[in-house]
Amino acid sequence: MGTLKQFRDPQLSLWQSAVDEVVAVEQAGGAMGLEGGAPQRPDTSDPMLDEATSFCAAAERGQLVPTGIPKGPMATEGLVDQARYCSGLALKLGKSLVKLIVLGNRQELDRAISQFEFGDCDPRYARALLKYAEYIASGDRVPYRRYRNLNDYVIEGKLPDHARVALLGDWGTGRPEAKRLLSRIKANRPDVVIHLGDVYYSGTAFEMKNYFLDPWFQILDLKNNPIPTFTMSGNHDMYSGGGPYYDAIDKLAQPASYFCLRNKSWQFIAMDTGLHAIKPGGGMTYLEDAEAEWVKDKIRNAGGRRTVLLSHHQLFSASEDIGGQEFNTLLYKQLSDVLPKVDYWFWAHEHDLVVFKEHLGLKRGRCIGHGAFPVGNDEIPDQPANPDVPVDKAFQLGKGQDCYFHGYAMMEIQGSDARISYYQDAGTDQLIGVE
């Protein structure tokens, strides 16, 4: 069975989403899964998804798309060329349909699709290119919410003085292992659950519903157990324009993509690093200047509370290049003066568990992006790319048969004290370490 692959390019991710939706709906037996049951996340065991993934990998490497239409039986070495041709043609044609979709000219749209020649490509590509064009047409501008005064988006009365706060990142894959992990969290009886962002591949309405909201509500039993839950803005959540993400947070009764959840002793400050993280290849992201001031206001006026920062993106990394640096210079510039007042900063984005030692004035940086996205046992190098970033090697994910285990963090607060337990799903809920 094939696994999921991510590409940090909005157009490639949108193409993955388009192909995924066509395949998932087909496998479920009806449009949006309403006729044949809830859609399940397909994988690259489906040939068109496998071709789309091969195309995205080739495009990311900068390989050109063949210009000739493949005909007849293809040798094994020609399969990649066919994948690159079929997907490349669909993307090109999909972009040409956007104007017709915006104008609502359905007759002309159907005529244009009928004229496309795909050679020996999978006939489902015609549906995928239409879906891709619809994504582009709907993703005009992120509906980011700006506060009117500094007291906006402060959430009181929902964080008990003695509370168990579950934290997980990069969970929105819709795969069985993601659902199993959330069941582990539910069994640990959290009072609050916070997802640090990313619903794959590009946060479309279909993906938000079927791979995030439906399993989220069902597994956590939110109708009968209405605990506060939140989801943050990741780069993949914004690739489709962000509209489905904002619809999702409304369903969670979450006021904005950034917020401050607090009680008398603690405050959890969620930040939106996804808004400016939609350029191909990633690079450095940053906060809106006004949002950075909002965040710093909460830290400076904590009223004796201890502070936990939350974001999708990392401040620094032991293994990734962040715009040519080991740390995000833009985020650091925005927040460096208040970092000494921060007790913890949890982020995701990298699909790993990394507990950092004090660095750049931050006492405790924690990467917990190991929520559900598959990472092969050979994908994380033994030697870090940035050895100057200090890591506590006592906290390390274990390996399964093919991939690293998934996991989450549970932060238990009581008064001003805190205890953080890191878990991995190794067939059972296995404790990695406690701090």
Side-chain angles (χ1 to χ4, degrees), residues 162-208:
H162 184 186
R164 295 168 62 81
V165 181
L167 302 167
L168 70 164
D170 294 84
W171 178 82
T173 66
R175 297 289 298 158
E177 53 270 25
K179 299 174 183 179
R180 185 174 64 241
L181 185 80
L182 195 60
S183 296
R184 306 273 192 220
I185 291 175
K186 173 66 164 57
N188 255 324
R189 302 185 304 278
D191 298 288
V192 177
V193 183
I194 304 176
H195 177 228
L196 302 187
D198 268 1
V199 175
Y200 296 92
Y201 298 102
S202 52
T204 64
F206 181 87
E207 291 168 332
M208 279 291 175

Side-chain angles (χ1 to χ4, degrees), residues 15-44:
W15 177 236
Q16 286 183 290
S17 294
V19 174
D20 174 276
E21 183 171 340
V22 167
V23 174
V25 168
E26 178 186 67
Q27 292 180 354
M32 292 299 287
L34 297 178
E35 298 176 13
Q40 303 298 312
R41 167 74 83 178
D43 57 38
T44 52

Side-chain angles (χ1 to χ4, degrees), residues 255-272:
S257 55
Y258 55 102
F259 56 87
C260 177
L261 174 70
R262 68 189 184 190
N263 62 19
K264 292 183 296 185
S265 303
W266 287 88
Q267 58 179 359
F268 291 77
I269 303 174
M271 304 180 293
D272 186 346

Side-chain angles (χ1 to χ4, degrees), residues 129-412:
L129 78 87
L130 177 58
K131 186 60 61 178
Y132 173 74
E134 290 173 351
Y135 292 160
I136 296 175
S138 64
D140 184 22
R141 185 177 181 183
V142 176
Y144 178 82
R145 297 173 184 175
R146 290 172 169 79
Y147 65 87
R148 294 187 177 182
N149 64 71
L150 289 171
N151 292 323
D152 288 346
Y153 311 145
V154 175
I155 304 170
E156 306 269 14
K158 293 190 176 183
L159 180 65
D161 290 334
H162 184 186
R164 295 168 62 81
V165 181
L167 302 167
L168 70 164
D170 294 84
W171 178 82
T173 66
R175 297 289 298 158
E177 53 270 25
K179 299 174 183 179
R180 185 174 64 241
L181 185 80
L182 195 60
S183 296
R184 306 273 192 220
I185 291 175
K186 173 66 164 57
N188 255 324
R189 302 185 304 278
D191 298 288
V192 177
V193 183
I194 304 176
H195 177 228
L196 302 187
D198 268 1
V199 175
Y200 296 92
Y201 298 102
S202 52
T204 64
F206 181 87
E207 291 168 332
M208 279 291 175
K209 179 183 187 300
N210 294 292
Y211 304 151
F212 180 74
L213 283 173
D214 283 358
W216 189 262
F217 271 84
Q218 180 182 357
I219 295 168
L220 293 176
D221 193 22
L222 293 182
K223 289 186 177 180
N224 298 311
N225 180 38
I227 62 172
T229 70
F230 307 88
T231 188
M232 295 174 58
S233 170
N235 49 302
H236 285 270
D237 299 313
M238 296 297 106
Y239 287 166
S240 62
Y245 167 80
Y246 282 88
D247 290 341
I249 66 173
D250 286 343
K251 290 181 172 62
L252 297 177
Q254 177 179 322
S257 55
Y258 55 102
F259 56 87
C260 177
L261 174 70
R262 68 189 184 190
N263 62 19
K264 292 183 296 185
S265 303
W266 287 88
Q267 58 179 359
F268 291 77
I269 303 174
M271 304 180 293
D272 186 346
T273 61
L275 180 64
H276 296 293
I278 58 175
K279 294 181 180 179
M284 289 189 187
T285 187
Y286 55 94
L287 304 179
E288 285 280 283
D289 287 339
E291 182 183 331
E293 289 305 314
W294 180 92
V295 169
K296 290 192 286 187
D297 173 77
K298 306 298 166 293
I299 298 173
R300 290 168 178 157
N301 299 293
R305 297 176 181 89
R306 301 182 70 182
T307 296
V308 179
L309 285 184
L310 304 170
S311 65
H312 178 72
H313 293 86
Q314 68 275 65
L315 176 63
F316 46 76
S317 174
S319 58
E320 285 204 1
D321 178 284
I322 308 174
Q325 304 286 334
E326 66 184 28
F327 71 102
N328 186 320
T329 59
L330 299 180
L331 268 181
Y332 181 71
K333 183 178 179 180
Q334 288 182 309
L335 300 173
S336 59
D337 58 331
V338 294
L339 287 181
K341 297 181 180 180
V342 173
D343 290 275
Y344 290 91
W345 184 345
F346 290 93
W347 57 70
H349 196 55
E350 297 177 53
H351 304 145
D352 196 3
L353 167 65
V354 187
V355 173
F356 296 95
K357 299 178 182 179
E358 184 170 352
H359 190 54
L360 296 181
L362 177 65
K363 291 188 284 287
R364 303 175 188 91
R366 307 291 185 255
C367 174
I368 53 169
H370 58 309
F373 204 90
V375 177
N377 287 338
D378 59 348
E379 290 186 46
I380 299 178
D382 294 331
Q383 298 300 320
N386 304 319
D388 293 337
V389 178
V391 173
D392 187 342
K393 295 185 179 180
F395 296 82
Q396 289 188 319
L397 275 179
K399 296 180 179 181
Q401 183 175 354
D402 300 307
C403 293
Y404 280 85
F405 294 128
H406 304 299
Y408 64 96
M410 184 70 76
M411 184 171 182
E412 186 171 3

